[in-house]
Amino acid sequence: MKKIMILCLSLLICGCANEKKKETVKQTTYKDGEYETIANGYGGEFQVTTTIKNDKIEDVVVKEHNETPSIGGVAIEQMISNMKDNNKYDVDTVSGATKTSQALKDAVKKAFEEAKR
C-alpha cells in the first residue's frame, strides 16, 4: 500500500511539473514563381530554375551542365526527385558526386531565400 501511495504521489508531481507550454509556430511563406540561380559543380557552373508554388517545390530544372553524365548527371536527377518528394532542399548528397550535390542544394537554397516574403 505504501508503494502505491509513493507511486501515485510521484505521478502527481511529474504531471504537474510537465506542464505544456504554448509554442508559437513561425510559418515562413514564399512567393510563388520561378527562381534562376547558379550552381558551381564539379564540371563548372550550371543554371538551376526552381519553381515554388504554395510554399512547395513544384519543380527543379537544371539547364545544360558539364557534370559527368553517369555520376553528376545521375546525382542531379536523384536529388531533384528527393527535393520534390520531401519538399526541402537540404536532402542527402549523392556519394561520389558530393560537389555536384552540394552545388544543387546551394542553388535551390538561394531560390528559397529569394522567394521569402
Side-chain angles (χ1 to χ4, degrees):
M1 185 70 167
K2 196 174 191 179
K3 290 181 182 179
I4 294 174
M5 291 284 275
I6 292 172
L7 180 63
C8 288
L9 285 173
S10 298
L11 290 174
L12 183 62
I13 291 170
C14 290
C16 291
N18 197 13
E19 192 176 312
K20 289 187 178 182
K21 297 178 184 177
K22 290 185 180 180
E23 293 183 23
T24 306
V25 177
K26 184 179 177 185
Q27 186 172 1
T28 304
T29 55
Y30 300 95
K31 289 190 278 185
D32 290 352
E34 288 187 356
Y35 298 89
E36 300 281 335
T37 54
I38 300 293
N40 193 11
Y42 183 78
E45 287 187 350
F46 56 90
Q47 193 173 40
V48 179
T49 302
T50 304
T51 304
I52 299 172
K53 186 172 182 184
N54 297 325
D55 289 343
K56 294 185 179 182
I57 297 173
E58 182 149 302
D59 202 9
V60 177
V61 176
V62 173
K63 307 280 171 115
E64 191 174 315
H65 61 80
N66 293 317
E67 304 304 298
T68 307
S70 62
I71 301 170
V74 171
I76 288 170
E77 294 302 317
Q78 287 177 357
M79 292 194 60
I80 289 172
S81 179
N82 287 340
M83 288 176 179
K84 289 167 56 175
D85 290 346
N86 295 299
N87 193 41
K88 62 181 185 176
Y89 55 82
D90 193 17
V91 296
D92 291 339
T93 58
V94 176
S95 180
T98 306
K99 186 162 177 127
T100 302
S101 299
Q102 191 59 52
L104 181 60
K105 286 171 48 169
D106 291 345
V108 176
K109 179 181 179 182
K110 287 179 201 169
F112 269 89
E113 288 171 356
E114 289 178 23
K116 281 185 182 177
R117 290 186 182 201

